[in-house]
Amino acid sequence: MKVQVICIEGRWKDNNQSFERRCLVMPKGASDSMRDEILKEFEYTQFFYIFDEDERILGEHLDFVVDFKNPISEYEMGDVQ
């Protein structure tokens, strides 16, 4: 199972201001305990949003719109220590 760190570029829906943030993409099928472990290893406060692997990233979300995504790095679950 792979964990991916990405950078997204988007804008806030309420004021159309642009932003750039780091996000995490969790592997499909990861249990709650696996997700917690990954988040602890990555010091989860550094991520703006956590996507699931099968979740749409580009496009409209509740409070923001994602225009671009760029992969930063990818880790195998066992490597995240």
Side-chain angles (χ1 to χ4, degrees), residues 14-68:
D14 62 349
N15 61 11
N16 212 31
Q17 277 205 324
S18 61
F19 65 82
E20 185 175 318
R21 301 281 194 280
R22 288 170 49 106
C23 298
L24 191 64
V25 180
M26 286 287 192
K28 188 175 182 176
S31 67
D32 288 343
S33 61
M34 288 172 134
R35 292 170 71 90
D36 288 345
E37 185 71 25
I38 292 167
L39 291 173
K40 284 178 192 170
E41 292 295 328
F42 277 112
E43 298 177 16
Y44 50 91
T45 56
Q46 69 177 313
F47 296 109
F48 166 70
Y49 195 85
I50 298 167
F51 293 97
D52 287 323
E53 188 176 51
D54 57 352
E55 184 177 356
R56 174 184 51 81
I57 296 173
L58 294 176
E60 202 168 308
H61 295 272
L62 184 62
D63 296 324
F64 58 93
V65 176
V66 177
D67 298 313
F68 301 99

Side-chain angles (χ1 to χ4, degrees), residues 6-17:
I6 62 173
C7 178
I8 62 169
E9 296 176 33
R11 53 201 147 78
W12 297 106
K13 284 176 141 180
D14 62 349
N15 61 11
N16 212 31
Q17 277 205 324

